[in-house]
Amino acid sequence: MYRYIIIGCISMIYAACGIPALTGRTENKAVPARYGSQEDTLNTAHVRWKDFFADPYLSAIIDTALQNNQELNIALQEIEMARNEARASKGEYLPFVGLRGGAGVEKVGRYTSQGANDANTDIKPGKEMPEPLPDYMVAAYATWEVDVWHKLRNARKAAVTRYLSTIEGRNFLVTNLIAEIAGSYYELLALDNQLNIVKQNIGIQNNALEIVKLQKDATRTTELAVRKFEAEVLHTRSLQYDIQQQITETENRINFLAGRYPAPIPRNDRQFGNNIPAAIHAGLPSQLLANRPDIKQAELELAAARLDVQVARARFYPSLGISAAIGYRAFNPAYLVKTPESLLYSLTGDLVAPVVNRNAIKAAYSNANARQMKAVYNYERTVLNAYVEVANQLSKIGNLSKRYELKAQQVAALTQSITISNDLFKSARADYMEVLMTQRDALESKFELIETQKEQLGAMVRIYRALGGGWN
């Protein structure tokens, strides 16, 4: 577990090679020791998602999504591609061995040096060289670049590191997927509860409308009051259809995340009020470096970028290659396996150093340096973003808890005021506008209470994600 980002500055490289030095910041960036005044070694991120999201309906949806989500399956294929690239880089590090076979025929001119020699050369006494001359060959050969400067070895390490990075990317995708499904599921429960409140309110308003009509018949009120109550009932009924549309869209969003076509989402909306988050243990900020997959992914990308710099630097140096071959070659298949007459072998070593193409190599090296610094900045940004996310959600959970208590008291007071206003209206001690405003205020306060509960559950989901939970 790293607590510091340390980027070494390469200050001296062989002057004869003309290699540019790596430039960039070298100061250390320390992760804060705690979140504000909190200090707790326990960490909610270590809780398995099935234990953190105890609702069985929600767990079933998440299980389905982890199997069917298309974006997650795409990430699995990207992991497979990265693993194959790592295998390919390992193959470049090892010697390449192959078999070669061939057959041909050649007719050279008589008045050439080769034709004159062939005409005066007998295979055996009294047996001339055949014309045209067949050629048969079978051999094994091998080529190997000696990795003197660790160019191929570092390239293989970089490929393996990027393969591990794709695994962390998949883990981060799992964390986001679980959080998004849980947030949408709690939003669906909130909409269900809002729909129930609207239906209850429609019943209350219909009763009030009947009372107003009776009072109008008794000439205790006017037609204006009746029309106002009717308009309020119609307004509330229109809210019902708006909420039903939101429920449909939320269900379809959950089904899309689960990789299936639209269908009703099974749920228990009565559990919505019982899902208020318990105590959250944020742990220490340094634990983010071990828990959050996006931070580990950025760290692996930084390590791979540093290896790329070493690979690019090694291209300035001479490369040593070795090639060898052994086999048989003859103009007649009957002589093909005669040893040692038909035996051939070769062993060659070559040393190649760049001379003309040095500008292209320098440009590639400069790009590798720039990519390394880009990876540094990305790592710093990822760590900073993780810390800010946790700090924001911790503050939000605390403030939402206080807000919920006040909203609950407001709802209780306004609910009682509905009965009081109705009684006053019946006894002609309050006008119809007071009744309407009381009913509307009570409806809005209940909606706001449910919204606060939904935000509490959303904050619980986001803090679990921000701490790095869910992927393990």
Side-chain angles (χ1 to χ4, degrees), residues 59 63 214 364 377 423 442:
S59 296
D63 273 327
L214 292 174
Y377 297 137
D423 293 339

Side-chain angles (χ1 to χ4, degrees), residues 121-274:
T121 302
D122 292 340
I123 299 174
K124 293 180 179 180
K127 187 174 183 181
E128 296 180 352
M129 185 78 68
E131 185 182 7
L133 183 65
D135 185 18
Y136 301 96
M137 185 268 293
V138 59
Y141 67 95
T143 58
W144 182 39
E145 181 179 349
V146 183
D147 196 18
V148 180
W149 314 112
H150 292 184
K151 178 179 67 176
L152 300 178
R153 188 176 307 174
N154 288 330
R156 177 174 61 87
K157 290 181 180 179
V160 172
T161 303
R162 287 196 169 87
Y163 162 65
L164 298 176
S165 173
T166 58
I167 295 178
E168 296 299 338
R170 181 260 180 192
N171 293 338
F172 188 56
L173 181 59
V174 169
T175 296
N176 288 331
L177 177 63
I178 293 174
E180 189 171 357
I181 290 176
S184 298
Y185 180 80
Y186 292 139
E187 180 181 350
L188 188 60
L189 296 185
L191 291 170
D192 288 339
N193 280 266
Q194 287 179 347
L195 183 61
N196 292 334
I197 290 174
V198 167
K199 290 179 179 178
Q200 294 172 7
N201 214 66
I202 290 174
I204 294 173
Q205 291 176 348
N206 281 327
N207 292 334
L209 177 60
E210 294 300 323
I211 294 173
V212 172
K213 288 181 178 179
L214 292 174
Q215 289 186 341
K216 175 185 174 292
D217 295 338
T219 67
R220 294 179 58 187
T221 187
T222 63
E223 182 69 18
L224 179 60
V226 175
R227 296 305 177 190
K228 284 287 187 180
F229 272 87
E230 286 180 345
E232 192 67 19
V233 172
L234 294 173
H235 170 71
T236 307
R237 289 179 61 184
S238 68
L239 290 178
Q240 175 182 349
Y241 296 105
D242 290 340
I243 295 175
Q244 287 177 350
Q245 177 61 28
Q246 294 179 45
I247 289 175
T248 300
E249 293 178 0
T250 305
E251 284 184 324
N252 290 341
R253 182 168 67 248
I254 294 175
N255 283 315
F256 174 77
L257 294 173
R260 60 192 185 189
Y261 288 95
I265 299 295
R267 57 197 184 269
N268 184 4
D269 56 3
R270 297 179 181 178
Q271 293 295 323
F272 177 71
N274 300 328

Side-chain angles (χ1 to χ4, degrees), residues 252-445:
N252 290 341
R253 182 168 67 248
I254 294 175
N255 283 315
F256 174 77
L257 294 173
R260 60 192 185 189
Y261 288 95
I265 299 295
R267 57 197 184 269
N268 184 4
D269 56 3
R270 297 179 181 178
Q271 293 295 323
F272 177 71
N274 300 328
N275 288 324
I276 299 301
I280 297 293
H281 301 282
L284 300 175
S286 58
Q287 292 174 334
L288 289 175
L289 306 183
N291 293 336
R292 286 199 40 146
D294 58 333
I295 294 180
K296 291 191 284 185
Q297 182 183 18
E299 181 180 340
L300 290 169
E301 289 291 343
L302 176 57
R306 190 167 187 174
L307 290 169
D308 288 341
V309 172
Q310 298 178 18
V311 172
R313 183 178 62 182
R315 292 195 177 99
F316 285 97
Y317 308 143
S319 60
L320 175 61
I322 298 177
S323 59
I326 185 170
Y328 292 91
R329 188 170 187 176
F331 61 81
N332 191 322
Y335 302 146
L336 193 59
V337 293
K338 280 185 173 294
T339 306
E341 290 84 355
S342 299
L343 180 66
L344 65 87
Y345 55 86
S346 65
L347 179 63
T348 306
D350 53 28
L351 190 65
V352 180
V355 176
V356 178
N357 201 30
R358 291 173 58 83
N359 287 333
I361 298 176
K362 288 180 181 179
Y365 182 76
S366 298
N367 282 338
N369 281 334
R371 283 192 295 268
Q372 183 183 17
M373 294 310 303
K374 177 183 175 182
V376 171
Y377 297 137
N378 181 62
Y379 181 82
E380 292 178 356
R381 183 189 63 178
T382 305
V383 174
L384 178 61
N385 177 66
Y387 181 88
V388 170
E389 283 183 356
V390 175
N392 286 344
Q393 295 308 317
L394 287 176
S395 175
K396 190 170 187 177
I397 288 175
N399 291 326
L400 284 174
S401 177
K402 298 174 183 177
R403 174 183 166 188
Y404 179 80
E405 294 176 1
L406 297 176
K407 283 294 179 183
Q409 296 175 15
Q410 180 187 12
V411 169
L414 288 173
T415 302
Q416 294 175 357
S417 68
I418 292 177
T419 304
I420 295 172
S421 64
N422 287 334
D423 293 339
L424 292 175
F425 182 73
K426 292 176 184 178
S427 61
R429 297 172 60 187
D431 59 21
Y432 65 91
M433 288 303 298
E434 291 178 307
V435 177
L436 290 176
M437 293 304 298
T438 301
Q439 291 178 353
R440 179 169 292 187
D441 291 342
L443 178 62
E444 291 178 355
S445 66

Side-chain angles (χ1 to χ4, degrees), residues 10-28:
I10 303 175
S11 58
M12 295 184 62
I13 301 183
Y14 291 115
C17 294
I19 306 175
L22 174 64
T23 59
R25 299 179 302 170
T26 59
E27 67 268 19
N28 297 330

